Amino acid sequence: MPKGVVEASPADGLTTRQRRNRPLVIVHTGDGKGKSTAAFGLALRGWNQGWSVGVFQFVKSAKWRIGEQSALEALSETGRGGPIEWHKMGSGWSWSRKSGSEDDHAAAAAEGWAEIKRRLADQTHGLYVLDEFTYPINWGWVDVDDVVRTLVDRPGHQHVIITGRRADPKLIEIASLVTEMTKIKHPFDEGQKGQRGIEW
Amino acid sequence: MPKGVVEASPADGLTTRQRRNRPLVIVHTGDGKGKSTAAFGLALRGWNQGWSVGVFQFVKSAKWRIGEQSALEALSETGRGGPIEWHKMGSGWSWSRKSGSEDDHAAAAAEGWAEIKRRLADQTHGLYVLDEFTYPINWGWVDVDDVVRTLVDRPGHQHVIITGRRADPKLIEIASLVTEMTKIKHPFDEGQKGQRGIEW
């Protein structure tokens, strides 16, 4: 067969252009490092395409990821690519009037997901990074069937990246691209402590 | 044992501060996606720390990674974090006067490594991203023993990230942090083609 000739096209009724531009659900899972970091790396590509990028961090600590947050916000301010919004759950989401109870993480996670659903319906962003979103799902704070249904039915051309350990099999099922990050060796094993520039 | 109390310190003769700030060799390997993307994500953290970051791309094609390159160069220009340099092998390195033969990749790879050795000796950068560097090593264009010796003996506080498939066991041996990215599912499996914003 001559080089560059595809033997058979998928029988999915789509044109090459449609297949090329299909919006993806991407999952980064596993116990190793790099799940979130690679998601933020993809945000750089989205920014360069001029896409609106929304990052939603489903973790409590504001210390981690500050490097990425500062960098993506600085990039957004250059105005040379797409706008980047960074929202973290912490003690209440930035769009919320409620100061909220610091302890009600379940309610905060549900509120975060409700906002993401609204944005998906409105086609607010070209790329969504749902960082550490597997945890509120696994803890039962967000209904996985609702997530799956919403992602499958989302309109337009919106890419969604979900990171976190132990991704639910239902998420894996509907995702187009799933990568598992596995720890082979970690400095914490040798008594190394977390350090700036590397862990945050 | 009370929470937060470490049972035993490693018997390496280092203080906690020395252990905290030990420079790392980081390897991202495996057949999955995210190896380079996660490395560029770490570059965001380094930038935020004000470190000088040097990216060295040991691949021919200039098409891939353009999103990351544009983003990191735009960040560097904001002047709000550390300076970021991006060098790619392509048809000759940017610092080289030689236009070079497009076909002599072995010589170009060796030249790239020689430059990185000089910079490590001069402590030019706080963070080095040697993207796809496992390939010239595995093809015998760069001597792995020379790489190992140079990294182990490098002066000062310089972090080095190496990405690429099939990292040499000698590299794994001297690395502090090794993550393997494994493909669980990839859209190419379903006839999906590469698309902008996702693959580059």
Side-chain angles (χ1 to χ4, degrees):
Chain A
M1 195 173 59
K3 200 175 159 189
V5 174
V6 178
E7 200 166 349
S9 292
D12 53 12
L14 297 175
T15 65
T16 297
R17 176 178 293 271
Q18 284 169 326
R19 263 196 305 278
R20 181 175 284 279
N21 291 319
R22 204 185 302 174
L24 303 178
V25 171
I26 298 173
V27 174
H28 293 170
T29 191
D31 292 339
K33 290 178 69 73
K35 296 184 288 293
S36 299
T37 321
F40 299 130
L42 279 171
L44 299 182
R45 294 188 190 156
W47 170 85
N48 188 55
Q49 293 293 338
W51 297 347
S52 170
V53 177
V55 177
F56 303 85
Q57 258 195 296
F58 285 83
V59 289
K60 189 175 157 51
S61 168
K63 180 180 175 191
W64 293 59
R65 324 255 185 265
I66 51 167
E68 292 94 320
Q69 182 177 0
S70 305
L72 294 183
E73 287 176 349
L75 260 189
S76 183
E77 288 168 22
T78 66
R80 287 163 54 176
I84 303 176
E85 288 180 28
W86 189 290
H87 301 287
K88 53 176 173 260
M89 205 165 82
S91 50
W93 295 93
S94 45
W95 61 75
S96 174
R97 295 292 182 119
K98 291 182 265 186
S99 71
S101 159
E102 285 251 356
D103 294 329
D104 198 350
H105 296 155
E111 194 198 342
W113 170 240
E115 173 70 16
I116 290 162
K117 279 179 76 170
R118 281 190 291 272
R119 293 183 182 216
L120 284 166
D122 293 346
Q123 304 185 44
T124 307
H125 302 293
L127 175 66
Y128 297 73
V129 178
L130 311 189
D131 189 38
E132 314 273 23
F133 191 46
T134 60
Y135 302 103
I137 291 174
N138 291 343
W139 295 328
W141 296 349
V142 172
D143 177 34
V144 67
D145 292 319
D146 184 33
V147 172
V148 163
R149 207 163 38 234
T150 304
L151 291 180
V152 168
D153 293 342
R154 75 195 187 284
H157 193 269
Q158 306 180 86
H159 297 291
V160 180
I161 311 176
I162 295 172
T163 77
R165 297 182 183 206
R166 290 177 293 285
D168 191 288
K170 292 177 182 175
L171 276 185
I172 304 284
E173 174 64 30
I174 60 148
S176 299
L177 172 55
V178 182
T179 305
E180 178 166 299
M181 278 68 170
T182 310
K183 181 187 86 165
I184 303 295
K185 206 172 173 185
H186 194 291
F188 293 177
D189 299 342
E190 300 167 355
Q192 171 73 45
K193 290 168 186 293
Q195 56 185 315
R196 65 194 170 89
I198 300 297
E199 309 299 336
W200 62 84
Chain B
M1 194 173 59
K3 199 176 161 190
V5 175
V6 177
E7 199 168 349
S9 292
D12 54 11
L14 297 175
T15 65
T16 297
R17 176 177 292 271
Q18 284 170 324
R19 264 197 303 278
R20 183 175 283 277
N21 291 320
R22 203 186 302 174
L24 303 178
V25 172
I26 298 173
V27 174
H28 294 171
T29 191
D31 292 339
K33 289 179 70 73
K35 297 184 289 293
S36 299
T37 322
F40 299 130
L42 279 171
L44 300 182
R45 295 189 188 153
W47 171 84
N48 188 56
Q49 292 294 338
W51 298 346
S52 170
V53 176
V55 177
F56 303 85
Q57 258 196 297
F58 284 84
V59 289
K60 189 173 157 54
S61 169
K63 180 180 176 191
W64 295 58
R65 323 256 185 264
I66 52 167
E68 292 94 319
Q69 180 177 1
S70 304
L72 294 182
E73 287 176 348
L75 261 188
S76 182
E77 287 169 24
T78 66
R80 289 163 53 178
I84 303 177
E85 289 181 27
W86 188 291
H87 301 286
K88 53 176 173 263
M89 204 165 82
S91 50
W93 295 93
S94 44
W95 62 75
S96 174
R97 294 292 182 119
K98 290 182 265 184
S99 72
S101 159
E102 284 252 356
D103 294 328
D104 198 349
H105 297 154
E111 192 197 345
W113 169 239
E115 174 70 16
I116 291 161
K117 280 180 76 170
R118 281 190 292 271
R119 292 182 182 217
L120 285 166
D122 292 346
Q123 303 186 45
T124 307
H125 303 293
L127 174 65
Y128 297 73
V129 178
L130 311 189
D131 188 40
E132 314 274 23
F133 190 46
T134 59
Y135 302 102
I137 292 175
N138 291 343
W139 294 330
W141 296 348
V142 173
D143 178 34
V144 68
D145 293 318
D146 184 34
V147 172
V148 163
R149 208 164 36 235
T150 302
L151 292 180
V152 168
D153 293 342
R154 73 195 187 284
H157 193 269
Q158 306 179 87
H159 297 291
V160 180
I161 311 175
I162 295 172
T163 79
R165 296 182 182 204
R166 290 178 293 287
D168 191 288
K170 292 177 183 175
L171 276 185
I172 305 285
E173 173 65 29
I174 61 149
S176 299
L177 172 55
V178 181
T179 304
E180 179 166 299
M181 279 69 170
T182 309
K183 181 187 85 166
I184 304 294
K185 207 172 173 185
H186 194 289
F188 292 177
D189 299 342
E190 300 167 355
Q192 171 73 45
K193 292 169 185 293
Q195 56 185 314
R196 66 193 171 89
I198 300 296
E199 310 298 337
W200 63 85

